[in-house]
Amino acid sequence: MATIAPPSSRVAPAVTWDVQEGVAVVVLDLTGQPVNVISRAVKDEFLACFAALADDSRVQTVAFFSGKPENFIAGADIEEFVQLESAAEAERLSAGGQEMLDRVARFSKPIAVGIHGACLGGGFEFALACHYRVATDHPKTQIGLPEVQLGILPGAGGCQRLPRLAGARAALDMILAGKSERAAKAFRLGMVDELVPQPILREVTIAAAKRMAGGWRPKRKRPGGFIGFLLDGNPLGRRIVFRTARKQVLERTGGHFPAPLAALEAVEYGLKHGIDEGLKREAQLFGQLAVTDVSRKLVQIFFATNQLKKDPGVANAPPPVRVQRLGIVGSGFMGSGIAGTAVVQAEVDVRMKDADVARVAQGILAARAILDDRLKRRRITKYEYARLVALLSGGDNYAGFGRAELTIEAVFEDLGVKQQVLREIEPVLPSDGVFASNTSTIPITRIAEAAQAPERVIGMHFFSPVAKMPLLEVIPGARTEPQTVSTAVAFGRRMGKTVIVVRDSPGFWVNRILAPYGNEIGHLLAEGASIEEIDSLAVRFGFPVGPVTLLDEVGLDVAVKVAGVMQEAYGDHIIPPSNGAGVAALVKAGRLGRKSGRGFYIYKGGKKRGVDPSVYELLGVHPNGGPRPAEILQRLVLPMVNEAARAVGEGVVHNPRDGDIGAIFGFGFPPFRGGPLRYADDLGAERIVTDLERLAERHGARFAPADLLREQAHDGTKFYA
Ligand code: 3HC
Ligand code: NAI
């Protein structure tokens, strides 16, 4: 077996190969690393390997594989971007990658690549430069260009090669959203040439390499038929495609994320001016993007999320109990969402219980809708669907709960009801079974007072809709034991959630920092601001929806309940306006938000249709211009930052990283700002304290700066060292 002498920093070479019957079988395997990435060092090995293969007269053709059992190549090494100091340096990095892949594309001997597992970013760009792509049909085989999610663009030729292979529309779809696709879809889109079961990947790839050595070349026709020809195949059609794509990007990003627009430009420029010019433009744009603050923030989020995946959430915890059977009490909105998501993501047996069989049946149907959606979007096959549906069952009693390692309750938000459920179920559960509550406001320690074994009671606060919201707050009570925490954290992760462990305190983390934000709406409306203005200013700041729309989404009845708890707990600074009737008046009038078709806004056919003007009357307020836009925005955002600081000071989250990830994944704090705590660091505590003091002077104690911010302002410290 041939190898390249590794750079001194690595113990073993990453690229090795074997020559048999004219085929060089090349394997990339970064020893000691969980995934293959393309770093500068790996690039050097690649180049040396291909130089050796070019000179080796025994080699007629090449078959390339990953040595990792579950990953192909995860892309370029993101750690290297963090160290880039200038746009010029980043441009050189991109151009270097392009040059290497250009050599691959022009290599004198054909190269077939066998893909199993994640084939992303630079990994896919490498595959695109090869001459034939075989992929396994395994669900782990995900193919995509996620660069824009890191604030950059595919900078190793991806913006040039993919549109040429699969057409501009399919390429833009993938590049601009940073999407990954299962191999079957990539195959349908013409991005891979052959789809095979994993056991025959090697054989089929080597066979393709041999066929190419004999002069055979794949005949590819542009996917998409006549429409494909009209839109992708001629400049006029492409103009329409680009115009539409640009409009969609602006709608989706509000102009806050420069990467998708730059990627669009790189694709368009390349198709207009040819691949060489396109590559140059791509590298330039990559260089500019890689050193933007937005990209730095998005990369920080990537690493923070990865760290969280490995964080057991508690010190010195015994390994988690592996959950195979999940019990759910309360098969309403949240219970069914948790059930469906648990089945789809963790493939566990789920047993549901509600007051009567009719409600359970409804819950099972709602859980099944999550599976239906996956099937419709071809995320699962018919066979997987049939297998997963069979995992859902339920009844009006606790039969089956005796074998559930974890039970989650999602009954009404009432301490008495939750404690009653706990008393009933504890004798039924296995002796080491964990009981988790999905309460949004009740202290876990209070619920656990009804337990014989409070050490196995915990909070698992999911967000709605459960299938879509990526965050889970895990809340240990005063007596919860570490293994209960690690079990809840591990199961939350298996459900695909990013999990933060949060102290048992009113509002936990997410609702806590949302409380002053929501509360300020009442004050602003009372001072004459309009609903649309409040929402549009928040959207312009980068929130996915404005705070008033958020209330409608959460449900005004739920919001009123949470607000009541928060005002009780933090009455010194969560102070509602004294004039105006408040949101309770809307609830009384049957306006519960989106779910009832009417809240602050009117909803028809599932779509938001504008503000219901009679809302102002019900609230007893009159829009008349209100405070200046800059003040409105400041009064929405700074109290949230202030509350986040206060909660950090109280140890509600373990560290600023968890706090920022919680805010970004819990309610969409603008990711390009890095989260409320990073944002605070960027503004500087001194400035925040000055602004809050000014607001407090004008509007009262609710704006008084948190002690921690005052300390930071005084000492010149930050949340992140
Ligand atoms: N660069 C550097 N490190 C990477 C990496 C990358 N591209 N991809 C993964 N890693 C690291 C992770 O940080 C983690 O490190 P740690 O163990 O020290 O914390 C480790 O590899 C394992 O990663 P995961 O825990 O995420 O492993 P999973 O099996 O859950 O997921 C994955 C694997 C789907 C490949 C996922 O890691 C992933 O999505 N990676 C990022 C993919 C990506 O964004 N690629 C584009 C890179 S940019 C690029 O290619 C630019 C080019 O166009 C020039
Ligand atoms: P829901 O009203 O849709 O569902 C509650 C279900 O519990 C109903 O089906 C009811 O019949 C059942 N139930 C009540 N008492 C029961 C008992 N003793 N035994 C068995 N079943 C019983 O309510 P939803 O919205 O699903 O909320 C459930 C829990 O989740 C609450 O604690 C709520 O605070 C929490 N939560 C709600 C969120 C939301 O957005 N709706 C978000 C996060 C948490």
Side-chain angles (χ1 to χ4, degrees), residues 34-35 37 71 74-78 81 118 120-122 125 146-147 150 152-156 286 302-303 306 309-310:
V35 300
V37 295
N71 281 294
D77 187 350
I78 301 169
F81 304 158
L120 301 173
E125 291 174 297
E147 283 86 343
L150 299 169
I152 50 174
L153 52 68
F286 179 94
F302 171 77
F303 285 122
N306 264 324
K309 279 196 217 163
K310 288 178 204 86

PDB file of all heavy atoms in Angstrom, residues 34-35 37 71 74-78 81 118 120-122 125 146-147 150 152-156 286 302-303 306 309-310, ligand 1:
ATOM      1  N   PRO A  34     -13.029  12.337  13.956  1.00  0.00           N
ATOM      2  CA  PRO A  34     -14.334  11.707  13.750  1.00  0.00           C
ATOM      3  C   PRO A  34     -14.825  11.785  12.308  1.00  0.00           C
ATOM      4  O   PRO A  34     -15.539  10.925  11.827  1.00  0.00           O
ATOM      5  CB  PRO A  34     -15.279  12.481  14.683  1.00  0.00           C
ATOM      6  CG  PRO A  34     -14.570  13.767  14.995  1.00  0.00           C
ATOM      7  CD  PRO A  34     -13.110  13.508  14.843  1.00  0.00           C
ATOM      8  N   VAL A  35     -14.458  12.874  11.613  1.00  0.00           N
ATOM      9  CA  VAL A  35     -14.890  13.005  10.215  1.00  0.00           C
ATOM     10  C   VAL A  35     -13.693  13.397   9.351  1.00  0.00           C
ATOM     11  O   VAL A  35     -12.695  13.913   9.853  1.00  0.00           O
ATOM     12  CB  VAL A  35     -16.010  14.080  10.062  1.00  0.00           C
ATOM     13  CG1 VAL A  35     -17.242  13.745  10.862  1.00  0.00           C
ATOM     14  CG2 VAL A  35     -15.504  15.466  10.442  1.00  0.00           C
ATOM     15  N   VAL A  37     -12.057  15.908   6.882  1.00  0.00           N
ATOM     16  CA  VAL A  37     -12.205  17.275   6.393  1.00  0.00           C
ATOM     17  C   VAL A  37     -10.991  17.575   5.507  1.00  0.00           C
ATOM     18  O   VAL A  37      -9.959  16.919   5.625  1.00  0.00           O
ATOM     19  CB  VAL A  37     -12.268  18.320   7.544  1.00  0.00           C
ATOM     20  CG1 VAL A  37     -13.497  18.132   8.390  1.00  0.00           C
ATOM     21  CG2 VAL A  37     -11.022  18.277   8.413  1.00  0.00           C
ATOM     22  N   ASN A  71     -19.046   8.527   7.334  1.00  0.00           N
ATOM     23  CA  ASN A  71     -18.905   9.831   6.708  1.00  0.00           C
ATOM     24  C   ASN A  71     -18.013   9.744   5.485  1.00  0.00           C
ATOM     25  O   ASN A  71     -17.030   9.026   5.489  1.00  0.00           O
ATOM     26  CB  ASN A  71     -18.246  10.821   7.690  1.00  0.00           C
ATOM     27  CG  ASN A  71     -19.258  11.339   8.691  1.00  0.00           C
ATOM     28  OD1 ASN A  71     -20.180  12.039   8.319  1.00  0.00           O
ATOM     29  ND2 ASN A  71     -19.095  10.957   9.939  1.00  0.00           N
ATOM     30  N   ALA A  74     -16.665  15.845   5.233  1.00  0.00           N
ATOM     31  CA  ALA A  74     -17.555  16.875   5.807  1.00  0.00           C
ATOM     32  C   ALA A  74     -17.253  18.265   5.272  1.00  0.00           C
ATOM     33  O   ALA A  74     -17.835  19.235   5.737  1.00  0.00           O
ATOM     34  CB  ALA A  74     -17.450  16.872   7.324  1.00  0.00           C
ATOM     35  N   GLY A  75     -16.344  18.363   4.337  1.00  0.00           N
ATOM     36  CA  GLY A  75     -16.070  19.671   3.744  1.00  0.00           C
ATOM     37  C   GLY A  75     -14.682  20.159   4.048  1.00  0.00           C
ATOM     38  O   GLY A  75     -13.846  19.423   4.581  1.00  0.00           O
ATOM     39  N   ALA A  76     -14.466  21.425   3.717  1.00  0.00           N
ATOM     40  CA  ALA A  76     -13.194  22.043   4.066  1.00  0.00           C
ATOM     41  C   ALA A  76     -13.129  22.168   5.587  1.00  0.00           C
ATOM     42  O   ALA A  76     -14.155  22.121   6.258  1.00  0.00           O
ATOM     43  CB  ALA A  76     -13.103  23.409   3.409  1.00  0.00           C
ATOM     44  N   ASP A  77     -11.921  22.322   6.101  1.00  0.00           N
ATOM     45  CA  ASP A  77     -11.741  22.385   7.552  1.00  0.00           C
ATOM     46  C   ASP A  77     -12.171  23.760   8.077  1.00  0.00           C
ATOM     47  O   ASP A  77     -11.500  24.766   7.834  1.00  0.00           O
ATOM     48  CB  ASP A  77     -10.253  22.138   7.865  1.00  0.00           C
ATOM     49  CG  ASP A  77     -10.011  22.020   9.355  1.00  0.00           C
ATOM     50  OD1 ASP A  77     -10.943  22.318  10.127  1.00  0.00           O
ATOM     51  OD2 ASP A  77      -8.896  21.618   9.737  1.00  0.00           O
ATOM     52  N   ILE A  78     -13.286  23.783   8.786  1.00  0.00           N
ATOM     53  CA  ILE A  78     -13.840  25.059   9.249  1.00  0.00           C
ATOM     54  C   ILE A  78     -12.890  25.749  10.240  1.00  0.00           C
ATOM     55  O   ILE A  78     -12.842  26.969  10.322  1.00  0.00           O
ATOM     56  CB  ILE A  78     -15.244  24.845   9.867  1.00  0.00           C
ATOM     57  CG1 ILE A  78     -16.179  24.219   8.830  1.00  0.00           C
ATOM     58  CG2 ILE A  78     -15.845  26.158  10.356  1.00  0.00           C
ATOM     59  CD1 ILE A  78     -17.493  23.717   9.363  1.00  0.00           C
ATOM     60  N   PHE A  81     -10.870  28.425   8.700  1.00  0.00           N
ATOM     61  CA  PHE A  81     -11.463  29.733   8.360  1.00  0.00           C
ATOM     62  C   PHE A  81     -11.340  30.708   9.517  1.00  0.00           C
ATOM     63  O   PHE A  81     -11.188  31.900   9.330  1.00  0.00           O
ATOM     64  CB  PHE A  81     -12.961  29.635   8.067  1.00  0.00           C
ATOM     65  CG  PHE A  81     -13.327  28.668   7.000  1.00  0.00           C
ATOM     66  CD1 PHE A  81     -14.601  28.156   6.947  1.00  0.00           C
ATOM     67  CD2 PHE A  81     -12.408  28.280   6.050  1.00  0.00           C
ATOM     68  CE1 PHE A  81     -14.948  27.264   5.977  1.00  0.00           C
ATOM     69  CE2 PHE A  81     -12.754  27.392   5.078  1.00  0.00           C
ATOM     70  CZ  PHE A  81     -14.031  26.875   5.031  1.00  0.00           C
ATOM     71  N   ALA A 118     -21.994  11.521   5.115  1.00  0.00           N
ATOM     72  CA  ALA A 118     -22.086  12.946   4.790  1.00  0.00           C
ATOM     73  C   ALA A 118     -21.060  13.343   3.729  1.00  0.00           C
ATOM     74  O   ALA A 118     -19.864  13.111   3.883  1.00  0.00           O
ATOM     75  CB  ALA A 118     -21.869  13.777   6.046  1.00  0.00           C
ATOM     76  N   LEU A 120     -20.354  16.729   2.128  1.00  0.00           N
ATOM     77  CA  LEU A 120     -20.809  18.110   2.259  1.00  0.00           C
ATOM     78  C   LEU A 120     -19.718  19.113   1.876  1.00  0.00           C
ATOM     79  O   LEU A 120     -18.520  18.818   1.980  1.00  0.00           O
ATOM     80  CB  LEU A 120     -21.225  18.381   3.715  1.00  0.00           C
ATOM     81  CG  LEU A 120     -22.338  17.481   4.267  1.00  0.00           C
ATOM     82  CD1 LEU A 120     -22.548  17.728   5.744  1.00  0.00           C
ATOM     83  CD2 LEU A 120     -23.636  17.712   3.516  1.00  0.00           C
ATOM     84  N   GLY A 121     -20.171  20.283   1.455  1.00  0.00           N
ATOM     85  CA  GLY A 121     -19.254  21.384   1.187  1.00  0.00           C
ATOM     86  C   GLY A 121     -18.131  20.960   0.257  1.00  0.00           C
ATOM     87  O   GLY A 121     -18.360  20.377  -0.807  1.00  0.00           O
ATOM     88  N   GLY A 122     -16.885  21.244   0.689  1.00  0.00           N
ATOM     89  CA  GLY A 122     -15.717  20.881  -0.111  1.00  0.00           C
ATOM     90  C   GLY A 122     -15.676  19.398  -0.460  1.00  0.00           C
ATOM     91  O   GLY A 122     -15.089  19.021  -1.477  1.00  0.00           O
ATOM     92  N   GLU A 125     -17.811  19.184  -3.419  1.00  0.00           N
ATOM     93  CA  GLU A 125     -17.114  19.857  -4.520  1.00  0.00           C
ATOM     94  C   GLU A 125     -16.025  18.952  -5.091  1.00  0.00           C
ATOM     95  O   GLU A 125     -15.814  18.913  -6.296  1.00  0.00           O
ATOM     96  CB  GLU A 125     -16.514  21.192  -4.036  1.00  0.00           C
ATOM     97  CG  GLU A 125     -17.598  22.213  -3.722  1.00  0.00           C
ATOM     98  CD  GLU A 125     -17.041  23.480  -3.112  1.00  0.00           C
ATOM     99  OE1 GLU A 125     -16.468  23.388  -2.006  1.00  0.00           O
ATOM    100  OE2 GLU A 125     -17.157  24.558  -3.722  1.00  0.00           O
ATOM    101  N   PRO A 146     -23.558  23.141   2.394  1.00  0.00           N
ATOM    102  CA  PRO A 146     -24.108  23.925   3.505  1.00  0.00           C
ATOM    103  C   PRO A 146     -23.376  25.235   3.783  1.00  0.00           C
ATOM    104  O   PRO A 146     -23.644  25.885   4.785  1.00  0.00           O
ATOM    105  CB  PRO A 146     -23.951  22.964   4.698  1.00  0.00           C
ATOM    106  CG  PRO A 146     -22.765  22.129   4.360  1.00  0.00           C
ATOM    107  CD  PRO A 146     -22.695  22.042   2.853  1.00  0.00           C
ATOM    108  N   GLU A 147     -22.465  25.627   2.888  1.00  0.00           N
ATOM    109  CA  GLU A 147     -21.588  26.776   3.185  1.00  0.00           C
ATOM    110  C   GLU A 147     -22.330  28.027   3.631  1.00  0.00           C
ATOM    111  O   GLU A 147     -21.884  28.721   4.544  1.00  0.00           O
ATOM    112  CB  GLU A 147     -20.712  27.106   1.968  1.00  0.00           C
ATOM    113  CG  GLU A 147     -19.531  26.179   1.765  1.00  0.00           C
ATOM    114  CD  GLU A 147     -19.884  24.935   0.958  1.00  0.00           C
ATOM    115  OE1 GLU A 147     -21.093  24.620   0.817  1.00  0.00           O
ATOM    116  OE2 GLU A 147     -18.951  24.279   0.462  1.00  0.00           O
ATOM    117  N   LEU A 150     -22.744  28.862   7.068  1.00  0.00           N
ATOM    118  CA  LEU A 150     -21.567  29.359   7.789  1.00  0.00           C
ATOM    119  C   LEU A 150     -21.200  30.769   7.325  1.00  0.00           C
ATOM    120  O   LEU A 150     -20.134  31.279   7.648  1.00  0.00           O
ATOM    121  CB  LEU A 150     -20.374  28.424   7.553  1.00  0.00           C
ATOM    122  CG  LEU A 150     -20.533  26.976   8.015  1.00  0.00           C
ATOM    123  CD1 LEU A 150     -19.395  26.121   7.478  1.00  0.00           C
ATOM    124  CD2 LEU A 150     -20.587  26.897   9.531  1.00  0.00           C
ATOM    125  N   ILE A 152     -20.502  31.662   4.304  1.00  0.00           N
ATOM    126  CA  ILE A 152     -19.583  31.685   3.153  1.00  0.00           C
ATOM    127  C   ILE A 152     -20.284  31.052   1.944  1.00  0.00           C
ATOM    128  O   ILE A 152     -21.485  30.754   2.028  1.00  0.00           O
ATOM    129  CB  ILE A 152     -18.273  30.919   3.457  1.00  0.00           C
ATOM    130  CG1 ILE A 152     -18.594  29.533   4.033  1.00  0.00           C
ATOM    131  CG2 ILE A 152     -17.397  31.706   4.422  1.00  0.00           C
ATOM    132  CD1 ILE A 152     -17.400  28.640   4.224  1.00  0.00           C
ATOM    133  N   LEU A 153     -19.555  30.840   0.868  1.00  0.00           N
ATOM    134  CA  LEU A 153     -20.170  30.165  -0.282  1.00  0.00           C
ATOM    135  C   LEU A 153     -19.283  28.994  -0.692  1.00  0.00           C
ATOM    136  O   LEU A 153     -18.117  28.915  -0.268  1.00  0.00           O
ATOM    137  CB  LEU A 153     -20.383  31.143  -1.442  1.00  0.00           C
ATOM    138  CG  LEU A 153     -19.237  32.005  -1.958  1.00  0.00           C
ATOM    139  CD1 LEU A 153     -18.150  31.224  -2.633  1.00  0.00           C
ATOM    140  CD2 LEU A 153     -19.792  33.032  -2.925  1.00  0.00           C
ATOM    141  N   PRO A 154     -19.837  28.064  -1.474  1.00  0.00           N
ATOM    142  CA  PRO A 154     -18.997  26.964  -1.942  1.00  0.00           C
ATOM    143  C   PRO A 154     -17.846  27.557  -2.756  1.00  0.00           C
ATOM    144  O   PRO A 154     -18.071  28.105  -3.836  1.00  0.00           O
ATOM    145  CB  PRO A 154     -19.935  26.132  -2.826  1.00  0.00           C
ATOM    146  CG  PRO A 154     -21.315  26.512  -2.367  1.00  0.00           C
ATOM    147  CD  PRO A 154     -21.223  27.950  -1.943  1.00  0.00           C
ATOM    148  N   GLY A 155     -16.655  27.472  -2.206  1.00  0.00           N
ATOM    149  CA  GLY A 155     -15.549  28.222  -2.797  1.00  0.00           C
ATOM    150  C   GLY A 155     -14.514  27.348  -3.470  1.00  0.00           C
ATOM    151  O   GLY A 155     -13.432  27.812  -3.816  1.00  0.00           O
ATOM    152  N   ALA A 156     -14.846  26.066  -3.658  1.00  0.00           N
ATOM    153  CA  ALA A 156     -13.899  25.200  -4.368  1.00  0.00           C
ATOM    154  C   ALA A 156     -14.546  24.714  -5.667  1.00  0.00           C
ATOM    155  O   ALA A 156     -14.489  23.542  -6.016  1.00  0.00           O
ATOM    156  CB  ALA A 156     -13.474  24.032  -3.486  1.00  0.00           C
ATOM    157  N   PHE A 286     -15.734  34.491  -1.949  1.00  0.00           N
ATOM    158  CA  PHE A 286     -15.451  33.650  -0.773  1.00  0.00           C
ATOM    159  C   PHE A 286     -14.561  34.429   0.192  1.00  0.00           C
ATOM    160  O   PHE A 286     -14.804  34.473   1.399  1.00  0.00           O
ATOM    161  CB  PHE A 286     -14.766  32.346  -1.218  1.00  0.00           C
ATOM    162  CG  PHE A 286     -14.411  31.441  -0.072  1.00  0.00           C
ATOM    163  CD1 PHE A 286     -15.275  30.431   0.332  1.00  0.00           C
ATOM    164  CD2 PHE A 286     -13.206  31.602   0.622  1.00  0.00           C
ATOM    165  CE1 PHE A 286     -14.954  29.603   1.408  1.00  0.00           C
ATOM    166  CE2 PHE A 286     -12.886  30.787   1.700  1.00  0.00           C
ATOM    167  CZ  PHE A 286     -13.759  29.779   2.091  1.00  0.00           C
ATOM    168  N   PHE A 302     -21.875  27.117  14.905  1.00  0.00           N
ATOM    169  CA  PHE A 302     -21.589  25.724  14.500  1.00  0.00           C
ATOM    170  C   PHE A 302     -20.777  25.017  15.581  1.00  0.00           C
ATOM    171  O   PHE A 302     -21.108  23.915  16.011  1.00  0.00           O
ATOM    172  CB  PHE A 302     -20.848  25.716  13.153  1.00  0.00           C
ATOM    173  CG  PHE A 302     -20.326  24.355  12.767  1.00  0.00           C
ATOM    174  CD1 PHE A 302     -21.183  23.384  12.253  1.00  0.00           C
ATOM    175  CD2 PHE A 302     -18.981  24.015  12.944  1.00  0.00           C
ATOM    176  CE1 PHE A 302     -20.711  22.116  11.916  1.00  0.00           C
ATOM    177  CE2 PHE A 302     -18.506  22.757  12.611  1.00  0.00           C
ATOM    178  CZ  PHE A 302     -19.377  21.803  12.096  1.00  0.00           C
ATOM    179  N   PHE A 303     -19.712  25.671  16.037  1.00  0.00           N
ATOM    180  CA  PHE A 303     -18.872  25.011  17.041  1.00  0.00           C
ATOM    181  C   PHE A 303     -19.592  24.895  18.385  1.00  0.00           C
ATOM    182  O   PHE A 303     -19.474  23.868  19.059  1.00  0.00           O
ATOM    183  CB  PHE A 303     -17.525  25.742  17.189  1.00  0.00           C
ATOM    184  CG  PHE A 303     -16.596  25.458  16.038  1.00  0.00           C
ATOM    185  CD1 PHE A 303     -16.087  26.468  15.251  1.00  0.00           C
ATOM    186  CD2 PHE A 303     -16.256  24.142  15.718  1.00  0.00           C
ATOM    187  CE1 PHE A 303     -15.247  26.192  14.164  1.00  0.00           C
ATOM    188  CE2 PHE A 303     -15.422  23.855  14.640  1.00  0.00           C
ATOM    189  CZ  PHE A 303     -14.916  24.886  13.859  1.00  0.00           C
ATOM    190  N   ASN A 306     -21.900  22.019  18.220  1.00  0.00           N
ATOM    191  CA  ASN A 306     -21.159  20.756  18.273  1.00  0.00           C
ATOM    192  C   ASN A 306     -20.687  20.434  19.679  1.00  0.00           C
ATOM    193  O   ASN A 306     -20.739  19.291  20.103  1.00  0.00           O
ATOM    194  CB  ASN A 306     -19.942  20.827  17.354  1.00  0.00           C
ATOM    195  CG  ASN A 306     -20.270  20.212  16.022  1.00  0.00           C
ATOM    196  OD1 ASN A 306     -21.010  19.240  15.952  1.00  0.00           O
ATOM    197  ND2 ASN A 306     -19.756  20.785  14.966  1.00  0.00           N
ATOM    198  N   LYS A 309     -23.482  19.068  21.678  1.00  0.00           N
ATOM    199  CA  LYS A 309     -23.833  17.673  21.369  1.00  0.00           C
ATOM    200  C   LYS A 309     -23.112  16.707  22.289  1.00  0.00           C
ATOM    201  O   LYS A 309     -23.530  15.585  22.487  1.00  0.00           O
ATOM    202  CB  LYS A 309     -23.421  17.335  19.929  1.00  0.00           C
ATOM    203  CG  LYS A 309     -24.378  17.797  18.876  1.00  0.00           C
ATOM    204  CD  LYS A 309     -24.036  17.061  17.581  1.00  0.00           C
ATOM    205  CE  LYS A 309     -24.218  17.948  16.372  1.00  0.00           C
ATOM    206  NZ  LYS A 309     -23.544  17.462  15.170  1.00  0.00           N
ATOM    207  N   LYS A 310     -21.944  17.154  22.773  1.00  0.00           N
ATOM    208  CA  LYS A 310     -21.131  16.239  23.582  1.00  0.00           C
ATOM    209  C   LYS A 310     -21.234  16.531  25.067  1.00  0.00           C
ATOM    210  O   LYS A 310     -20.694  15.802  25.880  1.00  0.00           O
ATOM    211  CB  LYS A 310     -19.671  16.356  23.178  1.00  0.00           C
ATOM    212  CG  LYS A 310     -19.468  15.740  21.847  1.00  0.00           C
ATOM    213  CD  LYS A 310     -18.053  15.874  21.383  1.00  0.00           C
ATOM    214  CE  LYS A 310     -17.995  15.788  19.889  1.00  0.00           C
ATOM    215  NZ  LYS A 310     -18.219  17.035  19.189  1.00  0.00           N
TER     216      LYS A 310
HETATM  217  N1  3HC B   1     -14.439  21.349   9.580  1.00  0.00           N
HETATM  218  C1  3HC B   1     -13.902  21.195  10.811  1.00  0.00           C
HETATM  219  N2  3HC B   1     -14.416  20.380  11.744  1.00  0.00           N
HETATM  220  C2  3HC B   1     -15.527  19.703  11.388  1.00  0.00           C
HETATM  221  C3  3HC B   1     -16.150  19.822  10.148  1.00  0.00           C
HETATM  222  C4  3HC B   1     -15.553  20.693   9.203  1.00  0.00           C
HETATM  223  N3  3HC B   1     -16.040  20.866   7.972  1.00  0.00           N
HETATM  224  N4  3HC B   1     -17.239  19.024  10.120  1.00  0.00           N
HETATM  225  C5  3HC B   1     -17.286  18.408  11.314  1.00  0.00           C
HETATM  226  N5  3HC B   1     -16.267  18.825  12.080  1.00  0.00           N
HETATM  227  C6  3HC B   1     -15.933  18.369  13.434  1.00  0.00           C
HETATM  228  C7  3HC B   1     -16.942  18.851  14.457  1.00  0.00           C
HETATM  229  O1  3HC B   1     -16.653  20.157  14.902  1.00  0.00           O
HETATM  230  C8  3HC B   1     -16.745  17.823  15.553  1.00  0.00           C
HETATM  231  O2  3HC B   1     -15.564  18.150  16.227  1.00  0.00           O
HETATM  232  P1  3HC B   1     -15.331  17.777  17.755  1.00  0.00           P
HETATM  233  O3  3HC B   1     -15.539  16.295  17.845  1.00  0.00           O
HETATM  234  O4  3HC B   1     -13.981  18.246  18.047  1.00  0.00           O
HETATM  235  O5  3HC B   1     -16.405  18.558  18.486  1.00  0.00           O
HETATM  236  C9  3HC B   1     -16.500  16.554  14.782  1.00  0.00           C
HETATM  237  O6  3HC B   1     -16.041  16.964  13.481  1.00  0.00           O
HETATM  238  C10 3HC B   1     -17.700  15.648  14.615  1.00  0.00           C
HETATM  239  O7  3HC B   1     -18.762  16.393  14.069  1.00  0.00           O
HETATM  240  P2  3HC B   1     -20.254  16.154  14.512  1.00  0.00           P
HETATM  241  O8  3HC B   1     -20.321  15.973  16.002  1.00  0.00           O
HETATM  242  O9  3HC B   1     -21.071  17.249  13.907  1.00  0.00           O
HETATM  243  O10 3HC B   1     -20.550  14.752  13.829  1.00  0.00           O
HETATM  244  P3  3HC B   1     -21.911  14.206  13.249  1.00  0.00           P
HETATM  245  O11 3HC B   1     -21.636  12.821  12.852  1.00  0.00           O
HETATM  246  O12 3HC B   1     -23.035  14.531  14.153  1.00  0.00           O
HETATM  247  O13 3HC B   1     -22.137  15.083  11.914  1.00  0.00           O
HETATM  248  C11 3HC B   1     -21.510  16.123   9.859  1.00  0.00           C
HETATM  249  C12 3HC B   1     -21.246  14.991  10.869  1.00  0.00           C
HETATM  250  C13 3HC B   1     -22.902  15.949   9.235  1.00  0.00           C
HETATM  251  C14 3HC B   1     -20.472  16.040   8.792  1.00  0.00           C
HETATM  252  C15 3HC B   1     -21.453  17.484  10.586  1.00  0.00           C
HETATM  253  O14 3HC B   1     -20.297  17.542  11.351  1.00  0.00           O
HETATM  254  C16 3HC B   1     -21.479  18.683   9.711  1.00  0.00           C
HETATM  255  O15 3HC B   1     -22.546  19.087   9.260  1.00  0.00           O
HETATM  256  N6  3HC B   1     -20.305  19.295   9.454  1.00  0.00           N
HETATM  257  C17 3HC B   1     -20.186  20.546   8.793  1.00  0.00           C
HETATM  258  C18 3HC B   1     -20.409  20.431   7.328  1.00  0.00           C
HETATM  259  C19 3HC B   1     -20.142  21.736   6.649  1.00  0.00           C
HETATM  260  O16 3HC B   1     -20.633  22.783   7.030  1.00  0.00           O
HETATM  261  N7  3HC B   1     -19.329  21.690   5.581  1.00  0.00           N
HETATM  262  C20 3HC B   1     -18.978  22.815   4.841  1.00  0.00           C
HETATM  263  C21 3HC B   1     -17.651  23.276   5.290  1.00  0.00           C
HETATM  264  S1  3HC B   1     -17.171  24.736   4.487  1.00  0.00           S
HETATM  265  C22 3HC B   1     -16.536  24.282   2.996  1.00  0.00           C
HETATM  266  O17 3HC B   1     -16.523  23.113   2.670  1.00  0.00           O
HETATM  267  C23 3HC B   1     -16.007  25.385   2.166  1.00  0.00           C
HETATM  268  C24 3HC B   1     -15.646  24.973   0.784  1.00  0.00           C
HETATM  269  O18 3HC B   1     -16.666  25.311  -0.085  1.00  0.00           O
HETATM  270  C25 3HC B   1     -14.417  25.667   0.322  1.00  0.00           C
END
